[in-house]
Amino acid sequence: MSALFFAVLSEAKPWITKLQAKPISHLGKFRIFQKEDHYIIISGTGKLSAALAVSEFAHILPKPDRNQMKIWNLGIAGSNNNELSLGDFFWIHKITDAATKRDFYPDRIEKSKFTKETTLTTFDRPITKNENSDRFLFLPQEELKGIQLIDMEGSGFFEAASLYFPLENISLGKLVSDHLEGTFCKAETVESMMAEKMEGLFDEWTSPLPWTGIDSIETFDWPLVEAFIQNLRLTETMKHDLKKSIRFFRLRNPNTILPFPEESLKIHLKSKSDLKEFFEQWRESLHV
Amino acid sequence: MFKSFSHIYIEDGIRDHWRTKEILKRFPNAIPIPIRHYKDSFNRNSQNFRVQKETPKLILAEKKEHFLYPGSDFSPNFSHPHFYYNTIALNCIYDCEYCYLQGMFPSANLVLFVNWEDFFDATKEFIEKNQSLYLALSYDTDLLALESFFPATKAWLEFAATEPRLSLEIRTKSTNYSQIAKFSPNPNVILAWTISPQAIIETIEHGTPPLHTRIKVINQAIQDGWKVRICIDPILRVPNWKTHYQSLADTLGKELKIDGLVDISIGGFRMNIDFLKRMMDVRKDSSILFHAFEKKDKIVSYSNLETEEILELMSSALHQYVSPSEIKVSYT
Ligand code: SF4
């Protein structure tokens, strides 16, 4: 499963086409495209929009799905560093929110064909290093010192994503689109830059996370146990302890049938102490 | 997945520290990431210890306070009035299934503090005040295992040579003895090797050196004149544990220069209950954590009967080769 967040449609277009994703109908505000287990979400610009889009998307998925989901934000970014070429792609290992001064650290865990990494600073307005631009916020060189890439979504995306998705599933990647000259990129330019990088990234995005897998005890053993105990009045603590014992048994005896008490014994359980004894004996049989 | 230490987080305050530069030289391909405070990364919520352990990163930092901690009740104090430990590094390159670090720390990344001089100063100050100190060197890691890029053990041996009122215990599973072999043995320093049956090393103490290579370096250390302690701790009730531990005792009897040992410390598995709960969450595939433990106060351990059985078996197996006075029970 994977989800990919973009600020604007021009960034998303090549991906939507390649995936052959279709818009899903839902009650929310944001556009979500889907093909099987893969989703593309367009948030609009700004960190608040990015955060809201993550939140809206997270609410349409159950938690077990979210835990298995790779969640990416890709997009264009301006660069203050002239050594970074236009069209270069970078994974982000640190995000600074310029307004709050908070730092976030996306973990770099999976290797990628794209090996370059850098830091990202998220501003609330588009930034330029040229004076005399009325639609951009002008920042003098000393304030831009040390800043590599600049966007308007990264911190909002990451902060929201880390509330709903496991940290290790979240990645951000940015394409250098300009050097803060104070002009907006044309949609066609963004689209073609993104299309070029997508060729290398698509398989990485759609491949499952290497660390997610099924827990055979939760999936196979525990449902059997739950069916067996459903008419017994076990407390939550007892269920919890039973699950631990089941796990112990399964780990020690991977190929053996799980021992259950005789079904007929259940009808003799008249009192709480009967139940307790029955329960303890069962657990003992699991700790062999 | 990235290899170990593919990325190194570096606190701004120690970016130019000479020791930081030395460590970075050992990892020329690592990607440096500037960081304000190590806790900004290390203490984040909902990190996945298991995933991080597959691809651990380094975090280089400065320790600003707490250079000495009083020894915990779980650890033997070997009857010393001032038993403390320090934490020059957090987390370990090995991956033992029973390791409490995975229940204690939110992250599996390795924090290395580079301001050793502050640890030395605090230690000196303590000794001035209290006249003696028994210090376990960095409990929250295996320090000697890091020696090739974080040579703190050497530095502490040098420091201990100038502080006769300081006794050190350096506990390890590593076979990095060669890194410190050139030092003359210091009678105030105990090198303590934790050992386990080979079957447990292979299945539970992931990444640690095999038993026979541990025995080899232990023998070397004894021969060189070091005080050496053997720790068979925690003893684990794995399937066929009796056979495994009996055979461990026999191997020691045959292959180890037992006469040169200070003592053998033995103890059953025990754990702070909150740590164990978290460990069971992150390590659902380790049967040893799902034993039906007994709880007493905040500690879980094998039942009294099980513990007695373990200690009885281990001590009588060892008595064939070692005098009873040399066997110390670290926890009952
Ligand atoms: S060697 Fe010690 S510190 Fe390292 S993982 Fe094993 S138990 Fe933990």
Side-chain angles (χ1 to χ4, degrees), chain A residues 236-246 279 283:
Chain A
E236 284 309 309
T237 313
M238 284 164 122
K239 284 186 199 162
H240 182 75
D241 288 346
L242 181 59
K243 202 181 219 179
K244 284 197 287 187
S245 302
I246 299 285
F279 175 74
R283 281 191 68 205

Side-chain angles (χ1 to χ4, degrees), chain B residues 222-254:
Chain B
I222 293 172
Q223 193 177 321
D224 290 349
W226 286 95
K227 280 192 174 168
V228 173
R229 166 172 293 142
I230 296 288
C231 309
I232 307 177
D233 186 2
I235 298 171
L236 299 169
R237 293 178 73 97
V238 294
N240 301 323
W241 64 272
K242 290 183 183 169
T243 321
H244 292 317
Y245 283 97
Q246 177 66 54
S247 109
L248 175 66
D250 294 341
T251 307
L252 295 184
K254 265 192 246 122

